Amino acid sequence: MRFTNVPTLVKALSLMIRKTAFLTCLTAATLTFSMIGAACAAPPAVVAVNREIGLSVTGNFQDVTRNIGRHYNVSPDLFFNDSYQSQRSDRVHQTGWTPGFRADAQYMFDTSIMKHLYAAATFTLDDGQIELSEKTSWHVQPASGSAFNDHARYQAGQNRSSINVTGEIGKGFLILNDRLLIMPTIQGGYQAGGANTFTAYGRGYVGLALHIDYAITNRLVIRGRAGWAQFLDTHTYFSGNNPYVHDSRPEWSGDIALDYRMTDRVHLTGGVRYTYQNYGRARKTSYNPFWNEIISENGINWRNGVQLRLGVAYQL
């Protein structure tokens, strides 16, 4: 019967324990560095474009059309022995391009409870000359005598200045292997401006928006947005104390844009936005005792807008 040398056995066990401890430490270190690498890895492209601050130059087109019809019914009084009726129509058209700029800040983040939460703010300003044209037509029908018609035109340049501030919060959802991001948001903001002023006719709005971002490549993302904003005060139609001056009306908007990552942090951005707002139809009836005259008015007003933008953004 043979017996193993005890010192040799102890040495073998000690060597085995040291090898096992080394392999355990090596495995733990590998896992640790893998976790750190995963945590520090670049986010998906559709998430990265929602972690930017940017500045763009803009070209802003606006087309505002306002139609007002008036009907006058005059009865005999001290000044007129005859009665007559007349119709007057006014069409006011404001159109043109103005230069400006747009500043954006947006960030998508995670919490311990939810992922891909989103917050953003946008400020735009534009200022320049547009064209103002007015056309007026009359038709007068006396109770006795022949009817007659007349018309007039007016055209001139006019300054247009405006600012717009928008804030959004929302939640994103990643699908298609993190290449598509769908994100509903709540929006609110303030818009103001007019002829030679950035502060007149201020009006707030609240609404909803839907963002859709798709990564064509790891560097190029196409971005879309559709929005609804309910303006709380449209400042439109007839002057005086009537319910149409402070009417609430919706604005609809659609965006399409591209975001290209030139370096790890610098992105080239560009896009176009279309907006449409219909101020609705308003009616008003008034009486002028001086002329013994009843005036019936009705109006409709709408606005189309296009914004082109090109700029750079820094990825946070």
Side-chain angles (χ1 to χ4, degrees):
M1 188 172 181
R2 301 175 61 185
F3 294 94
T4 305
N5 191 321
V6 173
T8 303
L9 180 60
V10 171
K11 289 182 180 180
L13 289 174
S14 177
L15 180 61
M16 185 181 298
I17 291 171
R18 278 184 286 177
K19 287 183 178 181
T20 303
F22 175 76
L23 291 174
T24 302
C25 293
L26 182 61
T27 303
T30 302
L31 290 174
T32 300
F33 284 113
S34 298
M35 293 174 64
I36 293 174
C40 297
V46 290
V47 174
V49 297
N50 287 289
R51 294 176 177 173
E52 295 178 342
I53 54 174
L55 184 65
S56 305
V57 293
T58 63
N60 305 274
F61 176 79
Q62 182 169 280
D63 180 271
V64 179
T65 302
R66 180 179 182 183
N67 289 337
I68 297 180
R70 295 178 173 90
H71 179 83
Y72 301 87
N73 190 348
V74 181
S75 301
D77 60 8
L78 295 175
F79 301 95
F80 294 97
N81 295 323
D82 198 2
S83 63
Y84 69 88
Q85 294 185 2
S86 69
Q87 290 80 38
R88 172 181 169 177
S89 64
D90 296 278
R91 180 181 178 90
V92 181
H93 197 208
Q94 297 170 291
T95 184
W97 288 88
T98 54
F101 74 90
R102 167 174 166 162
D104 297 273
Q106 53 188 326
Y107 194 68
M108 180 166 282
F109 59 95
D110 300 336
T111 68
S112 58
I113 301 175
M114 302 180 68
K115 288 187 175 182
H116 307 127
L117 298 178
Y118 176 78
T122 302
F123 174 80
T124 64
L125 180 149
D126 68 278
D127 179 47
Q129 290 290 117
I130 61 173
E131 182 180 275
L132 170 65
S133 61
E134 300 181 17
K135 180 181 179 181
T136 302
S137 300
W138 294 274
H139 173 77
V140 181
Q141 177 63 63
S144 60
S146 302
F148 65 90
N149 302 306
D150 200 358
H151 66 275
R153 290 179 179 270
Y154 173 80
Q155 189 169 352
Q158 183 185 61
N159 172 267
R160 190 194 73 199
S161 307
S162 68
I163 59 170
N164 187 32
V165 182
T166 305
E168 289 185 75
I169 55 173
K171 167 75 170 69
F173 301 90
L174 283 173
I175 57 177
L176 297 181
N177 296 320
D178 296 345
R179 300 192 72 85
L180 179 64
L181 176 72
I182 298 177
M183 181 169 59
T185 65
I186 299 172
Q187 65 168 330
Y190 181 81
Q191 186 181 93
N196 298 303
T197 175
F198 289 102
T199 57
Y201 306 110
R203 52 188 188 160
Y205 57 87
V206 294
L208 302 173
L210 179 66
H211 298 250
I212 299 178
D213 298 333
Y214 179 73
I216 300 174
T217 68
N218 290 333
R219 288 183 175 271
L220 181 62
V221 176
I222 183 169
R223 315 191 68 184
R225 180 186 182 276
W228 157 73
Q230 188 73 20
F231 280 81
L232 307 180
D233 189 343
T234 54
H235 296 290
T236 186
Y237 297 124
F238 319 113
S239 61
N241 185 20
N242 67 83
Y244 302 110
V245 173
H246 303 289
D247 196 17
S248 174
R249 300 295 299 176
E251 179 185 80
W252 306 95
S253 63
D255 291 61
I256 188 73
L258 292 173
D259 187 299
Y260 179 73
R261 179 168 58 86
M262 297 187 293
T263 69
D264 288 343
R265 295 292 181 181
V266 179
H267 294 229
L268 179 66
T269 62
V272 57
R273 166 175 286 191
Y274 171 75
T275 58
Y276 172 77
Q277 186 170 31
N278 190 316
Y279 295 91
R281 186 178 295 276
R283 293 177 175 85
K284 178 186 176 183
T285 300
S286 59
Y287 173 68
N288 184 347
F290 185 81
W291 299 107
N292 196 21
E293 179 180 50
I294 298 176
I295 306 172
S296 300
E297 301 174 275
N298 64 83
I300 186 170
N301 192 359
W302 66 90
R303 173 174 57 83
N304 293 283
V306 176
Q307 182 189 78
L308 304 177
R309 63 183 185 273
L310 179 66
V312 294
Y314 180 79
Q315 180 184 323
L316 301 174

